[in-house]
Amino acid sequence: MVEPGAETKPLQEWLSQADTVEVVRELQHLEPIERAAAFRLLSKEAAREVFEQLEPVYQEELVQSLREDQVRELVESMEPDDRARLFGEMPAAVVQRVLAGLSQHEQDMTGLLLGYPAESAGRIMNPEFLALRAGMSVQEALAAVRRRGPDVATVYAIPVTDEHGRLIGMLELEDLVFAEPDERIDQVMDDEPHRVHTKQDQEEVARLLQAADLLAVPVVDSEERLVGLVTVDDAMDVLANEEGEDLARAGASEPLGRPYLSVSIFQVAHSRVVWLMLLAIAATLTVNVLSAFEGMLDQIVSLSLFIPLLIGVGGNCGAQSATTVIRAMAIDELRGRDFLRVIYREARVGLLLGLTVAAIGLAPVWLLFGRSLAAVVGLTLIAVCTLASVVGATMPLVAERIHIDPAVVSAPAVTTVVDAAGLLVYFAIARAILAVY
């Protein structure tokens, strides 16, 4: 006879020994029913830690499947910014039900964050922070850190405010630790700290934390009053999401916005079908070019043999250029004012690539098809690589100038444009050298 619950004992033992990150990783690969069953086997403290690290979509599933008291306890223990992120993914009716079960303090903190735009710094900041006064001594400040530290977002980066709550400085914990006890805070603080505003875009804030190597950045309102901190862990989440969106669009697909295994096949197909149709329509340009030069191909059939080569080289060259420029723009290495410098640079890169590829391919074509056709192919490769590099760099830069996400100008889109333009160049050179059609 099997003892009741015996089949869950090995799983429960593993859950009690495994690292939180490992548990989260495994839970996210289970089916919803299995995930909820495994989650119920966790200890109270482990459940809280695991729940905080799960993706919001999986948190929402658990909220729907757990008892009211369990949900209240888990959501109450979350940081306000993480809770706001979860509520942003949930249906309004469920949010109202869960929010009503929280303490008044947590309701106020969460409501404050949800009042800011979805992609703003205010939505991801933590409103629970420790602020020091400039006139405090280091000894008094350390006492405040010990007293209030467990209840705030971070003590590693500490803002300093005046009597009206306006930000006037910033210091790190090590500044306090190594300062003399009788020194004043205004003697050890940075009096020109980085700051962001509540409605500033999340990606800008995350890039600032990354570029300035900050542990946290203070968030101020329109009157420069300190209202919260954005910490480095939240910045990492923002950057991961933004880079995921850019990567999806670079592959001619809309971002799923949720973990891959949590969406249906219809949602996956929907994220791709629009781009697929647009690229199919754009590809008719290539068909029209081939149709226009059908007579030339009839006269010299060997011209058609090199079309796949030219399309492949040109498309890849354009895709490489577009990907490089989009990436540089995403991490703020390039801006709109660099337009002419980038075009000039990519034109030279394309020319160099074209010369290299043409030099490699010239001899075989000459030996097999003659000098004239070798000249056509060689010159076309040089022209197409140069053109493709310029087009690949230009399209994202132009997109940014007209306030379109540069990532929308994906590599497949660039390739489609370059294919048609490359064929026009090919047939123009062939007509000039071979004197046909």
Side-chain angles (χ1 to χ4, degrees):
M1 180 177 177
V2 179
E3 182 182 344
E7 66 277 6
T8 67
K9 285 185 177 179
L11 174 60
Q12 194 164 16
E13 185 177 344
W14 179 84
L15 289 170
S16 66
Q17 296 175 354
D19 178 75
T20 301
V21 175
E22 190 177 0
V23 173
V24 170
R25 187 184 301 120
E26 293 303 321
L27 287 181
Q28 292 184 157
H29 283 82
L30 297 177
E31 293 297 323
I33 296 176
E34 296 173 330
R35 182 162 40 248
F39 187 83
R40 291 190 185 98
L41 297 176
L42 292 167
S43 66
K44 185 176 292 187
E45 180 60 26
R48 184 185 64 80
E49 293 177 358
V50 168
F51 188 81
E52 285 181 351
Q53 294 191 31
L54 285 169
E55 289 288 333
V57 61
Y58 301 127
Q59 291 176 333
E60 181 187 347
E61 286 179 0
L62 289 173
V63 165
Q64 303 277 20
S65 62
L66 297 175
R67 297 194 314 269
E68 288 286 337
D69 58 323
Q70 290 177 301
V71 171
R72 187 182 309 112
E73 207 170 305
L74 286 170
V75 178
E76 178 85 21
S77 68
M78 297 177 73
E79 295 289 343
D81 53 325
D82 294 331
R83 192 185 304 120
R85 182 184 176 204
L86 168 62
F87 285 178
E89 301 282 340
M90 292 167 59
V94 179
V95 170
Q96 291 300 324
R97 176 170 57 84
V98 176
L99 194 58
L102 302 179
S103 64
Q104 189 60 51
H105 174 72
E106 297 301 337
Q107 286 186 33
D108 293 342
M109 292 294 97
T110 307
L112 172 67
L113 300 190
L114 291 174
Y116 293 108
E119 298 295 323
S120 67
R123 182 62 75 90
I124 61 170
M125 72 180 184
N126 195 316
E128 296 179 317
F129 55 86
L130 166 64
L132 302 176
R133 293 292 177 84
M136 297 174 70
S137 68
V138 168
Q139 187 172 357
E140 291 172 330
L142 285 171
V145 170
R146 294 189 191 97
R147 186 173 61 255
R148 292 203 50 211
D151 303 320
V152 298
T154 180
V155 295
Y156 298 105
I158 309 173
V160 182
T161 60
D162 63 15
E163 62 274 15
H164 302 293
R166 289 189 291 262
L167 180 72
I168 59 173
M170 200 78 182
L171 76 163
E172 295 185 1
L173 182 60
E174 65 175 321
D175 299 327
L176 285 178
V177 172
F178 292 112
E180 294 297 327
D182 56 349
E183 281 189 279
R184 286 163 49 99
I185 292 301
D186 56 8
Q187 293 177 293
V188 295
M189 73 179 187
D190 174 10
D191 57 6
E192 294 184 358
H194 293 282
R195 69 190 70 198
V196 297
H197 289 83
T198 52
K199 295 184 180 179
Q200 196 165 334
D201 185 79
Q202 289 181 4
E203 187 176 3
E204 292 179 16
V205 177
R207 295 292 179 198
L208 172 61
L209 278 155
Q210 182 185 49
D213 199 20
L214 302 175
L215 295 172
V217 64
V219 183
V220 297
D221 62 15
S222 58
E223 297 178 4
E224 295 299 310
R225 289 192 301 260
L226 181 68
V227 292
L229 294 175
V230 175
T231 52
V232 67
D233 58 323
D234 294 314
M236 289 174 64
D237 289 339
V238 170
L239 292 178
N241 290 335
E242 292 292 340
E243 288 175 2
E245 290 179 5
D246 290 348
L247 184 61
R249 292 192 175 110
S253 176
E254 278 302 299
L256 294 174
R258 298 162 67 117
Y260 175 77
L261 292 176
S262 71
V263 298
S264 69
I265 59 170
F266 297 103
Q267 289 172 302
V268 176
H270 181 266
S271 71
R272 302 176 187 176
V273 69
V274 175
W275 274 99
L276 197 61
M277 295 302 295
L278 289 173
L279 292 174
I281 293 170
T284 58
L285 289 171
T286 303
V287 176
N288 289 333
V289 171
L290 288 172
S291 177
F293 291 93
E294 187 177 359
M296 183 182 292
L297 291 173
D298 287 340
Q299 291 184 50
I300 306 178
V301 177
S302 54
L303 282 174
S304 63
L305 299 176
F306 297 97
I307 290 176
L309 167 68
L310 298 173
I311 286 178
V313 171
N316 286 333
C317 199
Q320 289 172 339
S321 176
T323 301
T324 302
V325 169
I326 290 171
R327 174 61 180 164
M329 292 169 70
I331 59 177
D332 205 29
E333 290 181 352
L334 292 179
R335 296 181 180 177
R337 63 173 177 268
D338 299 315
F339 185 88
L340 294 179
R341 290 176 61 193
V342 173
I343 300 307
Y344 179 53
R345 184 182 184 85
E346 285 297 324
R348 289 180 294 162
V349 170
L351 179 62
L352 182 60
L353 291 172
L355 288 168
T356 303
V357 176
I360 294 172
L362 190 64
V365 178
W366 192 323
L367 291 173
L368 294 173
F369 297 97
R371 181 179 59 187
S372 297
L373 196 53
V376 171
V377 173
L379 289 173
T380 303
L381 283 170
I382 295 170
V384 164
C385 286
T386 305
L387 174 67
S389 294
V390 171
V391 170
T394 301
M395 290 178 69
L397 291 168
V398 170
E400 185 186 47
R401 285 198 170 189
I402 58 177
H403 307 294
I404 296 175
D405 185 354
V408 172
V409 185
S410 61
V414 171
T415 299
T416 303
V417 173
V418 169
D419 286 351
L423 286 176
L424 287 172
V425 170
Y426 180 43
F427 290 123
I429 292 174
R431 177 186 294 175
I433 293 178
L434 303 177
V436 294
Y437 192 58

PDB file of all heavy atoms in Angstrom, residues 323-351:
ATOM      1  N   THR A 323      21.713  45.746 -38.629  1.00  0.00           N
ATOM      2  CA  THR A 323      21.827  45.188 -37.283  1.00  0.00           C
ATOM      3  C   THR A 323      22.867  45.938 -36.464  1.00  0.00           C
ATOM      4  O   THR A 323      22.651  46.251 -35.287  1.00  0.00           O
ATOM      5  CB  THR A 323      22.200  43.693 -37.354  1.00  0.00           C
ATOM      6  OG1 THR A 323      21.198  42.992 -38.097  1.00  0.00           O
ATOM      7  CG2 THR A 323      22.311  43.094 -35.964  1.00  0.00           C
ATOM      8  N   THR A 324      24.006  46.244 -37.089  1.00  0.00           N
ATOM      9  CA  THR A 324      25.070  46.964 -36.393  1.00  0.00           C
ATOM     10  C   THR A 324      24.608  48.353 -35.973  1.00  0.00           C
ATOM     11  O   THR A 324      24.827  48.783 -34.831  1.00  0.00           O
ATOM     12  CB  THR A 324      26.317  47.086 -37.291  1.00  0.00           C
ATOM     13  OG1 THR A 324      26.761  45.780 -37.670  1.00  0.00           O
ATOM     14  CG2 THR A 324      27.443  47.808 -36.569  1.00  0.00           C
ATOM     15  N   VAL A 325      23.948  49.070 -36.880  1.00  0.00           N
ATOM     16  CA  VAL A 325      23.499  50.432 -36.593  1.00  0.00           C
ATOM     17  C   VAL A 325      22.385  50.439 -35.547  1.00  0.00           C
ATOM     18  O   VAL A 325      22.387  51.265 -34.622  1.00  0.00           O
ATOM     19  CB  VAL A 325      23.039  51.129 -37.897  1.00  0.00           C
ATOM     20  CG1 VAL A 325      22.328  52.440 -37.591  1.00  0.00           C
ATOM     21  CG2 VAL A 325      24.237  51.378 -38.798  1.00  0.00           C
ATOM     22  N   ILE A 326      21.425  49.514 -35.655  1.00  0.00           N
ATOM     23  CA  ILE A 326      20.324  49.450 -34.681  1.00  0.00           C
ATOM     24  C   ILE A 326      20.873  49.167 -33.289  1.00  0.00           C
ATOM     25  O   ILE A 326      20.446  49.770 -32.299  1.00  0.00           O
ATOM     26  CB  ILE A 326      19.297  48.375 -35.093  1.00  0.00           C
ATOM     27  CG1 ILE A 326      18.525  48.828 -36.339  1.00  0.00           C
ATOM     28  CG2 ILE A 326      18.320  48.086 -33.950  1.00  0.00           C
ATOM     29  CD1 ILE A 326      17.649  47.761 -36.944  1.00  0.00           C
ATOM     30  N   ARG A 327      21.830  48.260 -33.204  1.00  0.00           N
ATOM     31  CA  ARG A 327      22.429  47.945 -31.906  1.00  0.00           C
ATOM     32  C   ARG A 327      23.154  49.168 -31.326  1.00  0.00           C
ATOM     33  O   ARG A 327      23.024  49.475 -30.135  1.00  0.00           O
ATOM     34  CB  ARG A 327      23.410  46.781 -32.073  1.00  0.00           C
ATOM     35  CG  ARG A 327      24.215  46.429 -30.828  1.00  0.00           C
ATOM     36  CD  ARG A 327      23.336  46.016 -29.691  1.00  0.00           C
ATOM     37  NE  ARG A 327      24.120  45.693 -28.503  1.00  0.00           N
ATOM     38  CZ  ARG A 327      23.624  45.587 -27.287  1.00  0.00           C
ATOM     39  NH1 ARG A 327      22.336  45.772 -27.093  1.00  0.00           N
ATOM     40  NH2 ARG A 327      24.392  45.301 -26.260  1.00  0.00           N
ATOM     41  N   ALA A 328      23.904  49.867 -32.156  1.00  0.00           N
ATOM     42  CA  ALA A 328      24.626  51.057 -31.700  1.00  0.00           C
ATOM     43  C   ALA A 328      23.662  52.143 -31.246  1.00  0.00           C
ATOM     44  O   ALA A 328      23.928  52.858 -30.270  1.00  0.00           O
ATOM     45  CB  ALA A 328      25.534  51.576 -32.818  1.00  0.00           C
ATOM     46  N   MET A 329      22.531  52.269 -31.939  1.00  0.00           N
ATOM     47  CA  MET A 329      21.528  53.261 -31.541  1.00  0.00           C
ATOM     48  C   MET A 329      20.864  52.870 -30.215  1.00  0.00           C
ATOM     49  O   MET A 329      20.575  53.719 -29.373  1.00  0.00           O
ATOM     50  CB  MET A 329      20.464  53.391 -32.636  1.00  0.00           C
ATOM     51  CG  MET A 329      20.986  54.008 -33.925  1.00  0.00           C
ATOM     52  SD  MET A 329      19.802  53.858 -35.285  1.00  0.00           S
ATOM     53  CE  MET A 329      18.536  54.999 -34.747  1.00  0.00           C
ATOM     54  N   ALA A 330      20.639  51.575 -30.031  1.00  0.00           N
ATOM     55  CA  ALA A 330      19.960  51.109 -28.824  1.00  0.00           C
ATOM     56  C   ALA A 330      20.762  51.408 -27.565  1.00  0.00           C
ATOM     57  O   ALA A 330      20.193  51.693 -26.511  1.00  0.00           O
ATOM     58  CB  ALA A 330      19.689  49.605 -28.920  1.00  0.00           C
ATOM     59  N   ILE A 331      22.095  51.346 -27.662  1.00  0.00           N
ATOM     60  CA  ILE A 331      22.930  51.611 -26.485  1.00  0.00           C
ATOM     61  C   ILE A 331      23.508  53.021 -26.521  1.00  0.00           C
ATOM     62  O   ILE A 331      24.480  53.326 -25.836  1.00  0.00           O
ATOM     63  CB  ILE A 331      24.051  50.563 -26.357  1.00  0.00           C
ATOM     64  CG1 ILE A 331      24.957  50.539 -27.602  1.00  0.00           C
ATOM     65  CG2 ILE A 331      23.464  49.184 -26.119  1.00  0.00           C
ATOM     66  CD1 ILE A 331      26.114  49.573 -27.484  1.00  0.00           C
ATOM     67  N   ASP A 332      22.879  53.880 -27.343  1.00  0.00           N
ATOM     68  CA  ASP A 332      23.190  55.308 -27.375  1.00  0.00           C
ATOM     69  C   ASP A 332      24.604  55.612 -27.871  1.00  0.00           C
ATOM     70  O   ASP A 332      25.188  56.630 -27.524  1.00  0.00           O
ATOM     71  CB  ASP A 332      22.989  55.935 -25.986  1.00  0.00           C
ATOM     72  CG  ASP A 332      22.687  57.427 -26.075  1.00  0.00           C
ATOM     73  OD1 ASP A 332      22.104  57.846 -27.088  1.00  0.00           O
ATOM     74  OD2 ASP A 332      23.049  58.168 -25.146  1.00  0.00           O
ATOM     75  N   GLU A 333      25.153  54.737 -28.705  1.00  0.00           N
ATOM     76  CA  GLU A 333      26.439  55.038 -29.341  1.00  0.00           C
ATOM     77  C   GLU A 333      26.252  55.931 -30.558  1.00  0.00           C
ATOM     78  O   GLU A 333      27.190  56.602 -30.978  1.00  0.00           O
ATOM     79  CB  GLU A 333      27.139  53.738 -29.761  1.00  0.00           C
ATOM     80  CG  GLU A 333      27.644  52.906 -28.600  1.00  0.00           C
ATOM     81  CD  GLU A 333      28.340  51.636 -29.047  1.00  0.00           C
ATOM     82  OE1 GLU A 333      28.299  51.324 -30.258  1.00  0.00           O
ATOM     83  OE2 GLU A 333      28.922  50.959 -28.190  1.00  0.00           O
ATOM     84  N   LEU A 334      25.054  55.901 -31.131  1.00  0.00           N
ATOM     85  CA  LEU A 334      24.741  56.718 -32.304  1.00  0.00           C
ATOM     86  C   LEU A 334      23.505  57.559 -32.036  1.00  0.00           C
ATOM     87  O   LEU A 334      22.574  57.108 -31.363  1.00  0.00           O
ATOM     88  CB  LEU A 334      24.478  55.837 -33.530  1.00  0.00           C
ATOM     89  CG  LEU A 334      25.657  55.057 -34.102  1.00  0.00           C
ATOM     90  CD1 LEU A 334      25.189  54.227 -35.280  1.00  0.00           C
ATOM     91  CD2 LEU A 334      26.782  55.985 -34.528  1.00  0.00           C
ATOM     92  N   ARG A 335      23.505  58.766 -32.596  1.00  0.00           N
ATOM     93  CA  ARG A 335      22.345  59.652 -32.496  1.00  0.00           C
ATOM     94  C   ARG A 335      22.055  60.236 -33.872  1.00  0.00           C
ATOM     95  O   ARG A 335      22.826  60.058 -34.813  1.00  0.00           O
ATOM     96  CB  ARG A 335      22.607  60.757 -31.475  1.00  0.00           C
ATOM     97  CG  ARG A 335      22.781  60.214 -30.064  1.00  0.00           C
ATOM     98  CD  ARG A 335      23.004  61.297 -29.050  1.00  0.00           C
ATOM     99  NE  ARG A 335      23.157  60.746 -27.708  1.00  0.00           N
ATOM    100  CZ  ARG A 335      23.418  61.465 -26.629  1.00  0.00           C
ATOM    101  NH1 ARG A 335      23.568  62.784 -26.743  1.00  0.00           N
ATOM    102  NH2 ARG A 335      23.547  60.892 -25.448  1.00  0.00           N
ATOM    103  N   GLY A 336      20.928  60.949 -33.961  1.00  0.00           N
ATOM    104  CA  GLY A 336      20.511  61.497 -35.244  1.00  0.00           C
ATOM    105  C   GLY A 336      21.549  62.379 -35.907  1.00  0.00           C
ATOM    106  O   GLY A 336      21.695  62.378 -37.132  1.00  0.00           O
ATOM    107  N   ARG A 337      22.302  63.139 -35.094  1.00  0.00           N
ATOM    108  CA  ARG A 337      23.290  64.048 -35.680  1.00  0.00           C
ATOM    109  C   ARG A 337      24.478  63.312 -36.311  1.00  0.00           C
ATOM    110  O   ARG A 337      25.288  63.922 -37.015  1.00  0.00           O
ATOM    111  CB  ARG A 337      23.798  65.011 -34.605  1.00  0.00           C
ATOM    112  CG  ARG A 337      24.525  64.367 -33.448  1.00  0.00           C
ATOM    113  CD  ARG A 337      25.130  65.431 -32.540  1.00  0.00           C
ATOM    114  NE  ARG A 337      25.784  64.870 -31.382  1.00  0.00           N
ATOM    115  CZ  ARG A 337      25.207  64.673 -30.203  1.00  0.00           C
ATOM    116  NH1 ARG A 337      23.941  65.008 -30.040  1.00  0.00           N
ATOM    117  NH2 ARG A 337      25.885  64.166 -29.193  1.00  0.00           N
ATOM    118  N   ASP A 338      24.588  62.000 -36.071  1.00  0.00           N
ATOM    119  CA  ASP A 338      25.677  61.207 -36.649  1.00  0.00           C
ATOM    120  C   ASP A 338      25.317  60.652 -38.028  1.00  0.00           C
ATOM    121  O   ASP A 338      26.072  59.849 -38.584  1.00  0.00           O
ATOM    122  CB  ASP A 338      26.029  60.036 -35.713  1.00  0.00           C
ATOM    123  CG  ASP A 338      26.508  60.512 -34.356  1.00  0.00           C
ATOM    124  OD1 ASP A 338      27.332  61.446 -34.330  1.00  0.00           O
ATOM    125  OD2 ASP A 338      26.069  59.955 -33.334  1.00  0.00           O
ATOM    126  N   PHE A 339      24.189  61.084 -38.587  1.00  0.00           N
ATOM    127  CA  PHE A 339      23.656  60.506 -39.827  1.00  0.00           C
ATOM    128  C   PHE A 339      24.710  60.466 -40.950  1.00  0.00           C
ATOM    129  O   PHE A 339      25.006  59.402 -41.506  1.00  0.00           O
ATOM    130  CB  PHE A 339      22.440  61.319 -40.269  1.00  0.00           C
ATOM    131  CG  PHE A 339      21.735  60.757 -41.470  1.00  0.00           C
ATOM    132  CD1 PHE A 339      20.736  59.809 -41.320  1.00  0.00           C
ATOM    133  CD2 PHE A 339      22.074  61.168 -42.754  1.00  0.00           C
ATOM    134  CE1 PHE A 339      20.078  59.288 -42.427  1.00  0.00           C
ATOM    135  CE2 PHE A 339      21.433  60.651 -43.861  1.00  0.00           C
ATOM    136  CZ  PHE A 339      20.427  59.706 -43.693  1.00  0.00           C
ATOM    137  N   LEU A 340      25.282  61.613 -41.277  1.00  0.00           N
ATOM    138  CA  LEU A 340      26.216  61.674 -42.406  1.00  0.00           C
ATOM    139  C   LEU A 340      27.492  60.883 -42.132  1.00  0.00           C
ATOM    140  O   LEU A 340      28.031  60.233 -43.033  1.00  0.00           O
ATOM    141  CB  LEU A 340      26.556  63.131 -42.729  1.00  0.00           C
ATOM    142  CG  LEU A 340      25.395  63.979 -43.255  1.00  0.00           C
ATOM    143  CD1 LEU A 340      25.842  65.412 -43.505  1.00  0.00           C
ATOM    144  CD2 LEU A 340      24.838  63.375 -44.543  1.00  0.00           C
ATOM    145  N   ARG A 341      27.965  60.918 -40.892  1.00  0.00           N
ATOM    146  CA  ARG A 341      29.161  60.154 -40.537  1.00  0.00           C
ATOM    147  C   ARG A 341      28.930  58.655 -40.719  1.00  0.00           C
ATOM    148  O   ARG A 341      29.797  57.931 -41.230  1.00  0.00           O
ATOM    149  CB  ARG A 341      29.563  60.430 -39.088  1.00  0.00           C
ATOM    150  CG  ARG A 341      30.110  61.826 -38.842  1.00  0.00           C
ATOM    151  CD  ARG A 341      30.399  62.037 -37.374  1.00  0.00           C
ATOM    152  NE  ARG A 341      31.404  61.108 -36.884  1.00  0.00           N
ATOM    153  CZ  ARG A 341      31.666  60.900 -35.605  1.00  0.00           C
ATOM    154  NH1 ARG A 341      30.965  61.545 -34.675  1.00  0.00           N
ATOM    155  NH2 ARG A 341      32.601  60.052 -35.241  1.00  0.00           N
ATOM    156  N   VAL A 342      27.747  58.199 -40.308  1.00  0.00           N
ATOM    157  CA  VAL A 342      27.429  56.772 -40.415  1.00  0.00           C
ATOM    158  C   VAL A 342      27.331  56.354 -41.879  1.00  0.00           C
ATOM    159  O   VAL A 342      27.862  55.304 -42.274  1.00  0.00           O
ATOM    160  CB  VAL A 342      26.108  56.451 -39.677  1.00  0.00           C
ATOM    161  CG1 VAL A 342      25.686  55.007 -39.920  1.00  0.00           C
ATOM    162  CG2 VAL A 342      26.277  56.703 -38.181  1.00  0.00           C
ATOM    163  N   ILE A 343      26.649  57.169 -42.690  1.00  0.00           N
ATOM    164  CA  ILE A 343      26.487  56.836 -44.116  1.00  0.00           C
ATOM    165  C   ILE A 343      27.849  56.786 -44.812  1.00  0.00           C
ATOM    166  O   ILE A 343      28.134  55.846 -45.576  1.00  0.00           O
ATOM    167  CB  ILE A 343      25.570  57.869 -44.813  1.00  0.00           C
ATOM    168  CG1 ILE A 343      24.180  57.892 -44.157  1.00  0.00           C
ATOM    169  CG2 ILE A 343      25.451  57.562 -46.302  1.00  0.00           C
ATOM    170  CD1 ILE A 343      23.528  56.552 -44.066  1.00  0.00           C
ATOM    171  N   TYR A 344      28.679  57.767 -44.534  1.00  0.00           N
ATOM    172  CA  TYR A 344      30.017  57.796 -45.145  1.00  0.00           C
ATOM    173  C   TYR A 344      30.833  56.581 -44.711  1.00  0.00           C
ATOM    174  O   TYR A 344      31.520  55.945 -45.525  1.00  0.00           O
ATOM    175  CB  TYR A 344      30.726  59.089 -44.757  1.00  0.00           C
ATOM    176  CG  TYR A 344      32.127  59.239 -45.307  1.00  0.00           C
ATOM    177  CD1 TYR A 344      32.385  59.088 -46.670  1.00  0.00           C
ATOM    178  CD2 TYR A 344      33.191  59.512 -44.458  1.00  0.00           C
ATOM    179  CE1 TYR A 344      33.669  59.222 -47.176  1.00  0.00           C
ATOM    180  CE2 TYR A 344      34.483  59.648 -44.949  1.00  0.00           C
ATOM    181  CZ  TYR A 344      34.714  59.497 -46.313  1.00  0.00           C
ATOM    182  OH  TYR A 344      35.987  59.625 -46.799  1.00  0.00           O
ATOM    183  N   ARG A 345      30.720  56.243 -43.446  1.00  0.00           N
ATOM    184  CA  ARG A 345      31.471  55.108 -42.908  1.00  0.00           C
ATOM    185  C   ARG A 345      30.994  53.791 -43.521  1.00  0.00           C
ATOM    186  O   ARG A 345      31.801  52.960 -43.956  1.00  0.00           O
ATOM    187  CB  ARG A 345      31.302  55.079 -41.386  1.00  0.00           C
ATOM    188  CG  ARG A 345      32.098  54.015 -40.660  1.00  0.00           C
ATOM    189  CD  ARG A 345      31.785  54.067 -39.172  1.00  0.00           C
ATOM    190  NE  ARG A 345      32.596  53.126 -38.419  1.00  0.00           N
ATOM    191  CZ  ARG A 345      33.816  53.366 -37.973  1.00  0.00           C
ATOM    192  NH1 ARG A 345      34.385  54.525 -38.209  1.00  0.00           N
ATOM    193  NH2 ARG A 345      34.480  52.451 -37.286  1.00  0.00           N
ATOM    194  N   GLU A 346      29.671  53.592 -43.567  1.00  0.00           N
ATOM    195  CA  GLU A 346      29.128  52.348 -44.113  1.00  0.00           C
ATOM    196  C   GLU A 346      29.355  52.226 -45.617  1.00  0.00           C
ATOM    197  O   GLU A 346      29.498  51.118 -46.134  1.00  0.00           O
ATOM    198  CB  GLU A 346      27.637  52.236 -43.780  1.00  0.00           C
ATOM    199  CG  GLU A 346      27.342  51.876 -42.337  1.00  0.00           C
ATOM    200  CD  GLU A 346      27.876  50.512 -41.940  1.00  0.00           C
ATOM    201  OE1 GLU A 346      27.847  49.584 -42.789  1.00  0.00           O
ATOM    202  OE2 GLU A 346      28.343  50.362 -40.801  1.00  0.00           O
ATOM    203  N   ALA A 347      29.387  53.354 -46.323  1.00  0.00           N
ATOM    204  CA  ALA A 347      29.682  53.308 -47.760  1.00  0.00           C
ATOM    205  C   ALA A 347      31.091  52.764 -47.991  1.00  0.00           C
ATOM    206  O   ALA A 347      31.321  51.933 -48.891  1.00  0.00           O
ATOM    207  CB  ALA A 347      29.540  54.696 -48.368  1.00  0.00           C
ATOM    208  N   ARG A 348      32.038  53.204 -47.164  1.00  0.00           N
ATOM    209  CA  ARG A 348      33.415  52.710 -47.306  1.00  0.00           C
ATOM    210  C   ARG A 348      33.535  51.245 -46.894  1.00  0.00           C
ATOM    211  O   ARG A 348      34.267  50.466 -47.516  1.00  0.00           O
ATOM    212  CB  ARG A 348      34.361  53.576 -46.478  1.00  0.00           C
ATOM    213  CG  ARG A 348      34.571  54.983 -47.069  1.00  0.00           C
ATOM    214  CD  ARG A 348      35.522  55.801 -46.220  1.00  0.00           C
ATOM    215  NE  ARG A 348      34.949  56.088 -44.903  1.00  0.00           N
ATOM    216  CZ  ARG A 348      35.663  56.470 -43.860  1.00  0.00           C
ATOM    217  NH1 ARG A 348      36.982  56.593 -43.949  1.00  0.00           N
ATOM    218  NH2 ARG A 348      35.060  56.732 -42.707  1.00  0.00           N
ATOM    219  N   VAL A 349      32.780  50.871 -45.846  1.00  0.00           N
ATOM    220  CA  VAL A 349      32.784  49.466 -45.429  1.00  0.00           C
ATOM    221  C   VAL A 349      32.211  48.592 -46.540  1.00  0.00           C
ATOM    222  O   VAL A 349      32.768  47.538 -46.875  1.00  0.00           O
ATOM    223  CB  VAL A 349      31.956  49.284 -44.135  1.00  0.00           C
ATOM    224  CG1 VAL A 349      31.755  47.793 -43.829  1.00  0.00           C
ATOM    225  CG2 VAL A 349      32.644  49.961 -42.961  1.00  0.00           C
ATOM    226  N   GLY A 350      31.083  49.032 -47.122  1.00  0.00           N
ATOM    227  CA  GLY A 350      30.471  48.278 -48.202  1.00  0.00           C
ATOM    228  C   GLY A 350      31.381  48.156 -49.409  1.00  0.00           C
ATOM    229  O   GLY A 350      31.461  47.092 -50.036  1.00  0.00           O
ATOM    230  N   LEU A 351      32.073  49.244 -49.733  1.00  0.00           N
ATOM    231  CA  LEU A 351      33.007  49.217 -50.861  1.00  0.00           C
ATOM    232  C   LEU A 351      34.120  48.207 -50.607  1.00  0.00           C
ATOM    233  O   LEU A 351      34.491  47.424 -51.509  1.00  0.00           O
ATOM    234  CB  LEU A 351      33.588  50.616 -51.074  1.00  0.00           C
ATOM    235  CG  LEU A 351      34.615  50.762 -52.209  1.00  0.00           C
ATOM    236  CD1 LEU A 351      33.983  50.413 -53.557  1.00  0.00           C
ATOM    237  CD2 LEU A 351      35.169  52.189 -52.247  1.00  0.00           C
TER     238      LEU A 351
END
